[in-house]
Amino acid sequence: MIRSDIRSISAYHVPDSSGLIKLDAMENPYPLPDALRSEWGRLLSESNINRYPDADMPELRRRIAEREGVEADQVLIGNGSDEIIQMLLIAADQGPCAVPKPTFVMYESIAKWLKRPVASMALKADFSLDAKAFLSMCAREKASLAFLACPNNPTGNLWPRADVQQIADNFRGLLVIDEAYGPFAADTYRDMIARNVMLLRTFSKLGMAGLRLGYALGDAALIMELNKVRLPYNINSLTQLSAAFFLDHFEVFEEQAQHICRERERMAAELGTLDKLEVFPSQANFLLLRVADARAVFEGLKQAGILIKNLHAKGSLLEGCLRVTIGTPEENDRFVHALKELI
Ligand SMILES: Cc1ncc(COP(=O)(O)O)c(C=O)c1O
């Protein structure tokens, strides 16, 4: 009844975080301020939940377009940017999907579900991207679609503008620049949007992971085609109402992002003083660390009540690596304190 290749894979595993300080999923640690919370609750209670949601969301697209300096017909809204990645993999021309490795795992997972081949190229040991080699791989493999997460997950680094521009200028297929961590980075590549270059963004890392709202910005003709594989009513009424409300108060979330960036720098400096640990430069809301025994440190942190992500795989570029999301200052202090005991 079920395809054998589906039967042979595992479901995406979300670990149980109950009772733990949750620093594993790149969420914003700050809850919604009380004043906004009550207004938001009132707004949601007035929703016409008996009706289907607005299917085309012209007003929400207009609001997002206005923020991003594009036109409303250049915006496609998804149930998280994951859903847009799926739409792209459904609709793109036949041919492999090109990704650097390591990168965000969903590009490859969704490609597999859709039986699309994946062509990957290893990053260098310092997680930099050889743009020329990436382009050669894309040409050799006849890739029709490529994903570049800028900054990259799980490495946290932002590949230089010139390298990404070189790929944008020379790739023959559709290039998707995924700026999920854009709010924490020093640069945006939004200006690279072109006939075959799209940008992905999400509300998730900014303090609204529970909403599931992501969007793509691109050429209007491309957005129109992708819209054909968007499920009707993909964004529920409560999310639509919430997104409009949060856009009215976006400065609250942007300020929180600035706090997170300052905390990231504080943590990086403090961890950088420890001998038995390597901290990689990050422009995202997390840090990638390398330790001698990642599994022991991960388990030890869990025992101490802190959940992070263990990325260790022997012989891989991520050997010995752990990823920790930036939390509140108190959570970060708890993490650093516990980590020092374990390495
Ligand atoms: C690079 C990257 N893109 C997209 C996503 C998915 O975000 P969303 O919550 O909008 O589906 C993530 C989530 O971790 C990510 O790391």
PDB file of all heavy atoms in Angstrom, residues 25-26 79-83 85 103-104 106-107 149-153 178 180-181 200-205 209 212-214, ligand 1:
ATOM      1  N   ALA A  25      15.966  24.103  18.600  1.00  0.00           N
ATOM      2  CA  ALA A  25      15.190  24.268  17.356  1.00  0.00           C
ATOM      3  C   ALA A  25      15.176  25.685  16.805  1.00  0.00           C
ATOM      4  O   ALA A  25      14.303  26.013  16.002  1.00  0.00           O
ATOM      5  CB  ALA A  25      13.756  23.768  17.580  1.00  0.00           C
ATOM      6  N   MET A  26      16.132  26.500  17.199  1.00  0.00           N
ATOM      7  CA  MET A  26      16.269  27.852  16.665  1.00  0.00           C
ATOM      8  C   MET A  26      15.009  28.703  16.834  1.00  0.00           C
ATOM      9  O   MET A  26      14.664  29.523  15.987  1.00  0.00           O
ATOM     10  CB  MET A  26      16.680  27.831  15.188  1.00  0.00           C
ATOM     11  CG  MET A  26      18.101  27.465  14.966  1.00  0.00           C
ATOM     12  SD  MET A  26      18.349  25.705  14.972  1.00  0.00           S
ATOM     13  CE  MET A  26      17.922  25.298  13.307  1.00  0.00           C
ATOM     14  N   ASN A  79       2.721  27.466   4.495  1.00  0.00           N
ATOM     15  CA  ASN A  79       2.521  27.003   5.858  1.00  0.00           C
ATOM     16  C   ASN A  79       3.905  26.644   6.417  1.00  0.00           C
ATOM     17  O   ASN A  79       4.305  25.479   6.474  1.00  0.00           O
ATOM     18  CB  ASN A  79       1.595  25.780   5.810  1.00  0.00           C
ATOM     19  CG  ASN A  79       1.023  25.455   7.156  1.00  0.00           C
ATOM     20  OD1 ASN A  79       1.722  25.524   8.162  1.00  0.00           O
ATOM     21  ND2 ASN A  79      -0.227  25.118   7.195  1.00  0.00           N
ATOM     22  N   GLY A  80       4.646  27.705   6.760  1.00  0.00           N
ATOM     23  CA  GLY A  80       6.071  27.561   7.048  1.00  0.00           C
ATOM     24  C   GLY A  80       6.818  27.564   5.719  1.00  0.00           C
ATOM     25  O   GLY A  80       6.229  27.245   4.668  1.00  0.00           O
ATOM     26  N   SER A  81       8.103  27.910   5.756  1.00  0.00           N
ATOM     27  CA  SER A  81       8.834  27.874   4.480  1.00  0.00           C
ATOM     28  C   SER A  81       9.041  26.437   4.018  1.00  0.00           C
ATOM     29  O   SER A  81       9.239  26.188   2.833  1.00  0.00           O
ATOM     30  CB  SER A  81      10.140  28.665   4.524  1.00  0.00           C
ATOM     31  OG  SER A  81      10.804  28.490   5.732  1.00  0.00           O
ATOM     32  N   ASP A  82       8.933  25.477   4.924  1.00  0.00           N
ATOM     33  CA  ASP A  82       8.980  24.063   4.522  1.00  0.00           C
ATOM     34  C   ASP A  82       7.973  23.782   3.409  1.00  0.00           C
ATOM     35  O   ASP A  82       8.262  23.056   2.466  1.00  0.00           O
ATOM     36  CB  ASP A  82       8.571  23.164   5.708  1.00  0.00           C
ATOM     37  CG  ASP A  82       9.702  22.951   6.709  1.00  0.00           C
ATOM     38  OD1 ASP A  82      10.848  23.299   6.396  1.00  0.00           O
ATOM     39  OD2 ASP A  82       9.409  22.452   7.804  1.00  0.00           O
ATOM     40  N   GLU A  83       6.774  24.346   3.552  1.00  0.00           N
ATOM     41  CA  GLU A  83       5.748  24.060   2.537  1.00  0.00           C
ATOM     42  C   GLU A  83       6.144  24.658   1.187  1.00  0.00           C
ATOM     43  O   GLU A  83       5.837  24.094   0.129  1.00  0.00           O
ATOM     44  CB  GLU A  83       4.379  24.590   2.982  1.00  0.00           C
ATOM     45  CG  GLU A  83       3.279  24.012   2.124  1.00  0.00           C
ATOM     46  CD  GLU A  83       1.936  24.713   2.263  1.00  0.00           C
ATOM     47  OE1 GLU A  83       1.898  25.918   2.563  1.00  0.00           O
ATOM     48  OE2 GLU A  83       0.910  24.055   2.039  1.00  0.00           O
ATOM     49  N   ILE A  85       9.233  25.013   0.152  1.00  0.00           N
ATOM     50  CA  ILE A  85      10.282  24.120  -0.372  1.00  0.00           C
ATOM     51  C   ILE A  85       9.597  22.946  -1.096  1.00  0.00           C
ATOM     52  O   ILE A  85       9.987  22.549  -2.195  1.00  0.00           O
ATOM     53  CB  ILE A  85      11.199  23.625   0.776  1.00  0.00           C
ATOM     54  CG1 ILE A  85      11.957  24.822   1.374  1.00  0.00           C
ATOM     55  CG2 ILE A  85      12.163  22.542   0.291  1.00  0.00           C
ATOM     56  CD1 ILE A  85      12.659  24.548   2.700  1.00  0.00           C
ATOM     57  N   THR A 103      23.653  21.006   4.968  1.00  0.00           N
ATOM     58  CA  THR A 103      22.724  22.135   4.932  1.00  0.00           C
ATOM     59  C   THR A 103      21.405  21.702   5.556  1.00  0.00           C
ATOM     60  O   THR A 103      21.316  20.614   6.142  1.00  0.00           O
ATOM     61  CB  THR A 103      22.560  22.677   3.496  1.00  0.00           C
ATOM     62  OG1 THR A 103      21.857  23.921   3.544  1.00  0.00           O
ATOM     63  CG2 THR A 103      21.780  21.719   2.585  1.00  0.00           C
ATOM     64  N   PHE A 104      20.386  22.527   5.423  1.00  0.00           N
ATOM     65  CA  PHE A 104      19.074  22.237   6.012  1.00  0.00           C
ATOM     66  C   PHE A 104      18.540  20.918   5.433  1.00  0.00           C
ATOM     67  O   PHE A 104      18.436  20.769   4.213  1.00  0.00           O
ATOM     68  CB  PHE A 104      18.142  23.408   5.700  1.00  0.00           C
ATOM     69  CG  PHE A 104      16.749  23.262   6.240  1.00  0.00           C
ATOM     70  CD1 PHE A 104      16.529  22.821   7.532  1.00  0.00           C
ATOM     71  CD2 PHE A 104      15.653  23.593   5.458  1.00  0.00           C
ATOM     72  CE1 PHE A 104      15.244  22.699   8.037  1.00  0.00           C
ATOM     73  CE2 PHE A 104      14.361  23.485   5.959  1.00  0.00           C
ATOM     74  CZ  PHE A 104      14.163  23.031   7.244  1.00  0.00           C
ATOM     75  N   MET A 106      15.697  19.441   5.202  1.00  0.00           N
ATOM     76  CA  MET A 106      14.403  19.253   4.529  1.00  0.00           C
ATOM     77  C   MET A 106      14.502  19.337   3.006  1.00  0.00           C
ATOM     78  O   MET A 106      13.657  18.777   2.303  1.00  0.00           O
ATOM     79  CB  MET A 106      13.344  20.254   5.034  1.00  0.00           C
ATOM     80  CG  MET A 106      12.897  20.047   6.470  1.00  0.00           C
ATOM     81  SD  MET A 106      12.465  18.340   6.869  1.00  0.00           S
ATOM     82  CE  MET A 106      10.915  18.159   6.023  1.00  0.00           C
ATOM     83  N   TYR A 107      15.529  20.043   2.486  1.00  0.00           N
ATOM     84  CA  TYR A 107      15.647  20.091   1.018  1.00  0.00           C
ATOM     85  C   TYR A 107      15.751  18.663   0.480  1.00  0.00           C
ATOM     86  O   TYR A 107      15.054  18.271  -0.450  1.00  0.00           O
ATOM     87  CB  TYR A 107      16.885  20.882   0.569  1.00  0.00           C
ATOM     88  CG  TYR A 107      17.037  22.274   1.144  1.00  0.00           C
ATOM     89  CD1 TYR A 107      18.296  22.738   1.564  1.00  0.00           C
ATOM     90  CD2 TYR A 107      15.956  23.140   1.254  1.00  0.00           C
ATOM     91  CE1 TYR A 107      18.464  24.015   2.078  1.00  0.00           C
ATOM     92  CE2 TYR A 107      16.119  24.414   1.779  1.00  0.00           C
ATOM     93  CZ  TYR A 107      17.378  24.846   2.196  1.00  0.00           C
ATOM     94  OH  TYR A 107      17.543  26.101   2.716  1.00  0.00           O
ATOM     95  N   ALA A 149      21.097  28.049   1.693  1.00  0.00           N
ATOM     96  CA  ALA A 149      20.611  28.683   2.923  1.00  0.00           C
ATOM     97  C   ALA A 149      21.644  29.729   3.340  1.00  0.00           C
ATOM     98  O   ALA A 149      22.802  29.403   3.579  1.00  0.00           O
ATOM     99  CB  ALA A 149      20.425  27.637   4.015  1.00  0.00           C
ATOM    100  N   CYS A 150      21.212  30.978   3.409  1.00  0.00           N
ATOM    101  CA  CYS A 150      22.135  32.098   3.680  1.00  0.00           C
ATOM    102  C   CYS A 150      21.582  32.957   4.819  1.00  0.00           C
ATOM    103  O   CYS A 150      20.669  33.737   4.567  1.00  0.00           O
ATOM    104  CB  CYS A 150      22.276  32.982   2.441  1.00  0.00           C
ATOM    105  SG  CYS A 150      22.853  32.138   0.967  1.00  0.00           S
ATOM    106  N   PRO A 151      22.093  32.834   6.050  1.00  0.00           N
ATOM    107  CA  PRO A 151      23.096  31.915   6.578  1.00  0.00           C
ATOM    108  C   PRO A 151      22.659  30.454   6.496  1.00  0.00           C
ATOM    109  O   PRO A 151      21.466  30.152   6.431  1.00  0.00           O
ATOM    110  CB  PRO A 151      23.222  32.350   8.043  1.00  0.00           C
ATOM    111  CG  PRO A 151      22.707  33.731   8.109  1.00  0.00           C
ATOM    112  CD  PRO A 151      21.657  33.824   7.062  1.00  0.00           C
ATOM    113  N   ASN A 152      23.688  29.587   6.540  1.00  0.00           N
ATOM    114  CA  ASN A 152      23.422  28.163   6.398  1.00  0.00           C
ATOM    115  C   ASN A 152      23.071  27.525   7.750  1.00  0.00           C
ATOM    116  O   ASN A 152      23.606  27.900   8.785  1.00  0.00           O
ATOM    117  CB  ASN A 152      24.675  27.486   5.818  1.00  0.00           C
ATOM    118  CG  ASN A 152      24.437  26.040   5.419  1.00  0.00           C
ATOM    119  OD1 ASN A 152      23.355  25.696   4.918  1.00  0.00           O
ATOM    120  ND2 ASN A 152      25.424  25.186   5.629  1.00  0.00           N
ATOM    121  N   ASN A 153      22.182  26.577   7.706  1.00  0.00           N
ATOM    122  CA  ASN A 153      21.869  25.729   8.848  1.00  0.00           C
ATOM    123  C   ASN A 153      22.414  24.339   8.506  1.00  0.00           C
ATOM    124  O   ASN A 153      22.086  23.846   7.424  1.00  0.00           O
ATOM    125  CB  ASN A 153      20.348  25.691   9.046  1.00  0.00           C
ATOM    126  CG  ASN A 153      19.909  24.679  10.084  1.00  0.00           C
ATOM    127  OD1 ASN A 153      20.694  24.207  10.892  1.00  0.00           O
ATOM    128  ND2 ASN A 153      18.630  24.324  10.053  1.00  0.00           N
ATOM    129  N   ASP A 178      17.675  30.853   0.685  1.00  0.00           N
ATOM    130  CA  ASP A 178      16.806  30.675   1.849  1.00  0.00           C
ATOM    131  C   ASP A 178      17.339  31.528   3.004  1.00  0.00           C
ATOM    132  O   ASP A 178      18.371  31.203   3.599  1.00  0.00           O
ATOM    133  CB  ASP A 178      16.794  29.178   2.204  1.00  0.00           C
ATOM    134  CG  ASP A 178      15.879  28.847   3.371  1.00  0.00           C
ATOM    135  OD1 ASP A 178      15.449  29.778   4.087  1.00  0.00           O
ATOM    136  OD2 ASP A 178      15.606  27.647   3.574  1.00  0.00           O
ATOM    137  N   ALA A 180      16.074  32.050   6.033  1.00  0.00           N
ATOM    138  CA  ALA A 180      15.365  31.778   7.291  1.00  0.00           C
ATOM    139  C   ALA A 180      16.031  32.512   8.462  1.00  0.00           C
ATOM    140  O   ALA A 180      15.376  32.957   9.391  1.00  0.00           O
ATOM    141  CB  ALA A 180      15.327  30.277   7.554  1.00  0.00           C
ATOM    142  N   TYR A 181      17.377  32.631   8.400  1.00  0.00           N
ATOM    143  CA  TYR A 181      18.112  33.279   9.505  1.00  0.00           C
ATOM    144  C   TYR A 181      18.500  34.711   9.167  1.00  0.00           C
ATOM    145  O   TYR A 181      19.339  35.310   9.855  1.00  0.00           O
ATOM    146  CB  TYR A 181      19.342  32.416   9.885  1.00  0.00           C
ATOM    147  CG  TYR A 181      18.881  31.035  10.277  1.00  0.00           C
ATOM    148  CD1 TYR A 181      18.899  29.994   9.358  1.00  0.00           C
ATOM    149  CD2 TYR A 181      18.314  30.823  11.527  1.00  0.00           C
ATOM    150  CE1 TYR A 181      18.376  28.753   9.681  1.00  0.00           C
ATOM    151  CE2 TYR A 181      17.794  29.591  11.857  1.00  0.00           C
ATOM    152  CZ  TYR A 181      17.828  28.559  10.932  1.00  0.00           C
ATOM    153  OH  TYR A 181      17.282  27.351  11.260  1.00  0.00           O
ATOM    154  N   LEU A 200      13.622  32.951   0.108  1.00  0.00           N
ATOM    155  CA  LEU A 200      12.681  32.351   1.076  1.00  0.00           C
ATOM    156  C   LEU A 200      12.872  33.022   2.422  1.00  0.00           C
ATOM    157  O   LEU A 200      14.012  33.260   2.843  1.00  0.00           O
ATOM    158  CB  LEU A 200      13.009  30.876   1.271  1.00  0.00           C
ATOM    159  CG  LEU A 200      12.303  29.817   0.463  1.00  0.00           C
ATOM    160  CD1 LEU A 200      12.667  28.445   1.020  1.00  0.00           C
ATOM    161  CD2 LEU A 200      10.813  30.011   0.513  1.00  0.00           C
ATOM    162  N   ARG A 201      11.789  33.307   3.079  1.00  0.00           N
ATOM    163  CA  ARG A 201      11.838  33.904   4.427  1.00  0.00           C
ATOM    164  C   ARG A 201      10.802  33.228   5.314  1.00  0.00           C
ATOM    165  O   ARG A 201       9.839  32.656   4.805  1.00  0.00           O
ATOM    166  CB  ARG A 201      11.491  35.402   4.327  1.00  0.00           C
ATOM    167  CG  ARG A 201      12.572  36.256   3.672  1.00  0.00           C
ATOM    168  CD  ARG A 201      13.284  36.980   4.773  1.00  0.00           C
ATOM    169  NE  ARG A 201      14.508  37.584   4.336  1.00  0.00           N
ATOM    170  CZ  ARG A 201      14.683  38.890   4.176  1.00  0.00           C
ATOM    171  NH1 ARG A 201      13.668  39.720   4.379  1.00  0.00           N
ATOM    172  NH2 ARG A 201      15.842  39.360   3.835  1.00  0.00           N
ATOM    173  N   THR A 202      10.967  33.368   6.612  1.00  0.00           N
ATOM    174  CA  THR A 202      10.004  32.760   7.537  1.00  0.00           C
ATOM    175  C   THR A 202       9.793  33.643   8.759  1.00  0.00           C
ATOM    176  O   THR A 202      10.682  34.393   9.148  1.00  0.00           O
ATOM    177  CB  THR A 202      10.486  31.358   7.981  1.00  0.00           C
ATOM    178  OG1 THR A 202       9.548  30.809   8.896  1.00  0.00           O
ATOM    179  CG2 THR A 202      11.853  31.379   8.652  1.00  0.00           C
ATOM    180  N   PHE A 203       8.613  33.529   9.360  1.00  0.00           N
ATOM    181  CA  PHE A 203       8.352  34.199  10.633  1.00  0.00           C
ATOM    182  C   PHE A 203       8.863  33.331  11.808  1.00  0.00           C
ATOM    183  O   PHE A 203       8.894  33.784  12.940  1.00  0.00           O
ATOM    184  CB  PHE A 203       6.838  34.395  10.836  1.00  0.00           C
ATOM    185  CG  PHE A 203       6.213  35.571  10.118  1.00  0.00           C
ATOM    186  CD1 PHE A 203       6.700  36.027   8.904  1.00  0.00           C
ATOM    187  CD2 PHE A 203       5.109  36.221  10.660  1.00  0.00           C
ATOM    188  CE1 PHE A 203       6.103  37.110   8.237  1.00  0.00           C
ATOM    189  CE2 PHE A 203       4.498  37.297  10.021  1.00  0.00           C
ATOM    190  CZ  PHE A 203       4.998  37.741   8.795  1.00  0.00           C
ATOM    191  N   SER A 204       9.220  32.079  11.490  1.00  0.00           N
ATOM    192  CA  SER A 204       9.470  31.105  12.563  1.00  0.00           C
ATOM    193  C   SER A 204      10.592  31.519  13.514  1.00  0.00           C
ATOM    194  O   SER A 204      10.474  31.361  14.722  1.00  0.00           O
ATOM    195  CB  SER A 204       9.823  29.741  11.978  1.00  0.00           C
ATOM    196  OG  SER A 204       8.732  29.208  11.296  1.00  0.00           O
ATOM    197  N   LYS A 205      11.709  32.007  12.968  1.00  0.00           N
ATOM    198  CA  LYS A 205      12.860  32.276  13.826  1.00  0.00           C
ATOM    199  C   LYS A 205      12.730  33.610  14.547  1.00  0.00           C
ATOM    200  O   LYS A 205      13.514  33.945  15.421  1.00  0.00           O
ATOM    201  CB  LYS A 205      14.152  32.262  13.002  1.00  0.00           C
ATOM    202  CG  LYS A 205      14.266  31.105  12.034  1.00  0.00           C
ATOM    203  CD  LYS A 205      14.205  29.767  12.725  1.00  0.00           C
ATOM    204  CE  LYS A 205      14.052  28.653  11.718  1.00  0.00           C
ATOM    205  NZ  LYS A 205      13.851  27.358  12.345  1.00  0.00           N
ATOM    206  N   ALA A 209       7.250  30.814  15.667  1.00  0.00           N
ATOM    207  CA  ALA A 209       7.412  29.464  15.109  1.00  0.00           C
ATOM    208  C   ALA A 209       6.081  28.707  15.128  1.00  0.00           C
ATOM    209  O   ALA A 209       5.799  27.899  14.249  1.00  0.00           O
ATOM    210  CB  ALA A 209       8.477  28.693  15.887  1.00  0.00           C
ATOM    211  N   ARG A 212       3.481  28.939  11.902  1.00  0.00           N
ATOM    212  CA  ARG A 212       3.775  28.285  10.623  1.00  0.00           C
ATOM    213  C   ARG A 212       3.470  29.255   9.481  1.00  0.00           C
ATOM    214  O   ARG A 212       2.478  29.146   8.770  1.00  0.00           O
ATOM    215  CB  ARG A 212       2.973  26.976  10.432  1.00  0.00           C
ATOM    216  CG  ARG A 212       3.117  25.952  11.505  1.00  0.00           C
ATOM    217  CD  ARG A 212       4.560  25.580  11.754  1.00  0.00           C
ATOM    218  NE  ARG A 212       5.182  24.902  10.626  1.00  0.00           N
ATOM    219  CZ  ARG A 212       6.376  25.259  10.113  1.00  0.00           C
ATOM    220  NH1 ARG A 212       7.077  26.255  10.624  1.00  0.00           N
ATOM    221  NH2 ARG A 212       6.871  24.594   9.098  1.00  0.00           N
ATOM    222  N   LEU A 213       4.330  30.217   9.303  1.00  0.00           N
ATOM    223  CA  LEU A 213       4.171  31.154   8.195  1.00  0.00           C
ATOM    224  C   LEU A 213       5.534  31.468   7.578  1.00  0.00           C
ATOM    225  O   LEU A 213       6.419  31.985   8.245  1.00  0.00           O
ATOM    226  CB  LEU A 213       3.502  32.455   8.648  1.00  0.00           C
ATOM    227  CG  LEU A 213       2.975  33.228   7.435  1.00  0.00           C
ATOM    228  CD1 LEU A 213       1.490  32.981   7.249  1.00  0.00           C
ATOM    229  CD2 LEU A 213       3.244  34.703   7.534  1.00  0.00           C
ATOM    230  N   GLY A 214       5.638  31.112   6.314  1.00  0.00           N
ATOM    231  CA  GLY A 214       6.849  31.436   5.566  1.00  0.00           C
ATOM    232  C   GLY A 214       6.435  32.034   4.241  1.00  0.00           C
ATOM    233  O   GLY A 214       5.267  31.951   3.854  1.00  0.00           O
TER     234      GLY A 214
HETATM  235  C1  LIG B   1      17.438  27.098   6.439  1.00  0.00           C
HETATM  236  C2  LIG B   1      16.035  26.815   6.860  1.00  0.00           C
HETATM  237  N1  LIG B   1      15.042  27.034   5.985  1.00  0.00           N
HETATM  238  C3  LIG B   1      13.766  26.807   6.311  1.00  0.00           C
HETATM  239  C4  LIG B   1      13.421  26.322   7.550  1.00  0.00           C
HETATM  240  C5  LIG B   1      11.984  26.011   7.835  1.00  0.00           C
HETATM  241  O1  LIG B   1      11.349  27.023   8.478  1.00  0.00           O
HETATM  242  P1  LIG B   1       9.775  27.080   8.664  1.00  0.00           P
HETATM  243  O2  LIG B   1       9.550  27.020  10.116  1.00  0.00           O
HETATM  244  O3  LIG B   1       9.363  28.388   8.047  1.00  0.00           O
HETATM  245  O4  LIG B   1       9.166  25.930   7.914  1.00  0.00           O
HETATM  246  C6  LIG B   1      14.415  26.083   8.505  1.00  0.00           C
HETATM  247  C7  LIG B   1      14.062  25.568   9.833  1.00  0.00           C
HETATM  248  O5  LIG B   1      14.855  25.251  10.661  1.00  0.00           O
HETATM  249  C8  LIG B   1      15.757  26.331   8.139  1.00  0.00           C
HETATM  250  O6  LIG B   1      16.762  26.078   8.989  1.00  0.00           O
END
